[in-house]
Amino acid sequence: MDNQSGGNTPIDADTRRSAWLFALYRVFVAAVLLLLGLFPDTPLGLHLVTPQFYAVIATAYLAFALVAAAFAWRCTHNPDTTSLTRIALIGGAGDGIGLIALLIVSGGVGAGIGLLLVPALVAAVLLSSARFALTLAAIATLALLLAEGVSALFLHPADTAITQAGLLGATLFAAGLLARQFARRAGETRAQVERQEVDLANLAELNAQIIARMSAGVIAVDPDGYIRSINEAARRLLPPRPGRHLSSLSPSVARVIRDWQRNGMPTTSQQLPGDRDQPALRIRLAPLGDRGDQGSLLILEDAAELQRQAQAGKLQALGRLTASIAHEIRNPLGAISHSAQLLGESPDLKPHDQRLLDIINNQSKRVNELISNVLSLSRRDAGGRERLNLQETLDRFAEEFCGALQLPRETLHARIEPADSEIQFDPSQLNQILWNLCSNARIHGGHDQPDSPPIVLRGGAGQVARVVSLDVIDAGPGISAEQEKDLFEPFVSGRAGGTGLGLYISRMLCENNGASLEYVHTPIGGCFRILFAPLETDSPKEQGA
């Protein structure tokens, strides 16, 4: 076809197979023609004018067919041995010479051998370049007319069939034109298919690149649980174990799939608790093929990261809320508070009116506290991080906290081991976090009585997860699992009058400084634990130096 016209173009498998099959057809035709000439007395035998020449020519044509078949067989095993155009043209030339020579010695066109030129011409056109179709048809027609003329002049003058030769030539032209049209259509179709294959390959490569770079883990498994494909994000989320079966990589994820398959394989999302080998995951499952007959698709996401994104969304919402309430509420609230203070200075104020003023003042302070907390959260930034000695920082905070609340210094006990443990944090934000946590400890931990044990701030470098940690420990009984679920949610408070923003703001400020805040269960109750980020090698202060 058109794309095969090059001298050394590799041949595709289908075309090589077609060339090999036509070579076998040529051997069969040559063998039959030889047998028909050797046994002329049979019902199918030929009435030959020169039998001796016929046998020689038929034997030579059979030998050529065998050689051509050998080359075609070699080409099927090694597509670079020769070009398709060369094989087709040599084969077509051999067919034309052999069949026309047999036609001459067998009595001309009337013997019927000339009809075999039609499939030979069509095969030569299809297996070579289509632009040779008319040239091959013209050569075959001229050779046919010349052969009929030679036969009429020298071998059997009384039995001429010039008209039949002309009709056969017209048939050759028609067959050549049809073969050329078919070859061109086939070439266009093949080119379109090749373009589509390239597009599909590019699309598959693009999909593979997208999946490989996705932050979510993607795993495709077959119906037996063997992994077909897995991206890098999934390998980071799952334990680094060898094996192609999902159960060898993560037995807990494999159990989720088995339970999901038993439930009918609906498209669903499930939460998988974390353990020491892998983090908590959210797994989305979908069947591949008809009802999962081709396997399952798993999309894994880090539940902690999803929670962080959700918290970031809440923070954005709080920021938008802040811009509104700071102007719409704080100004009239200030006017209300100021008016209540002026009214409280009146000498004619009665006792029940004073109680109403106290309510106004208390509620105004509460609303102002809520606004201040939200504003402090929206204005937070990481630009004020400093390298701090944790023990010295906690000692200063203890003096400030106990002094402001008029508490004995023994109410707050700070112990850091080793004493030179350092962190990188914004001092004002750390002070706000510690204030919130210690205030919660006083209120909920039973430290508001004179004989209550002290609030303990305990931690240091390398005690938890190879980083600097700090535990805020109170004497309370801890919190229940039901309370823990919403412990860090904004506007959710466990006491009357609470805003529910203290712990939420504390966690957000920790994350703003690269740290984390979590509630940890202990044998005697529980505590809040801060895990500080590792120290940067080049802090902003050091760079300025």
Side-chain angles (χ1 to χ4, degrees), residues 64-85:
F64 167 78
L66 292 173
V67 173
F71 277 102
W73 178 85
R74 183 183 178 188
C75 184
T76 59
H77 291 77
N78 186 2
D80 295 326
T81 54
T82 186
S83 69
L84 182 60
T85 299

Side-chain angles (χ1 to χ4, degrees), residues 514-531:
S516 64
L517 174 62
E518 58 187 6
Y519 182 79
V520 180
H521 291 278
T522 63
I524 60 174
C527 69
F528 288 96
R529 174 173 293 166
I530 302 175
L531 296 177

Side-chain angles (χ1 to χ4, degrees), residues 452-471:
S452 59
I455 300 172
V456 177
L457 304 179
R458 184 180 64 194
Q463 297 188 17
V464 179
R466 299 182 182 179
V467 297
V468 178
S469 63
L470 176 63
D471 292 345

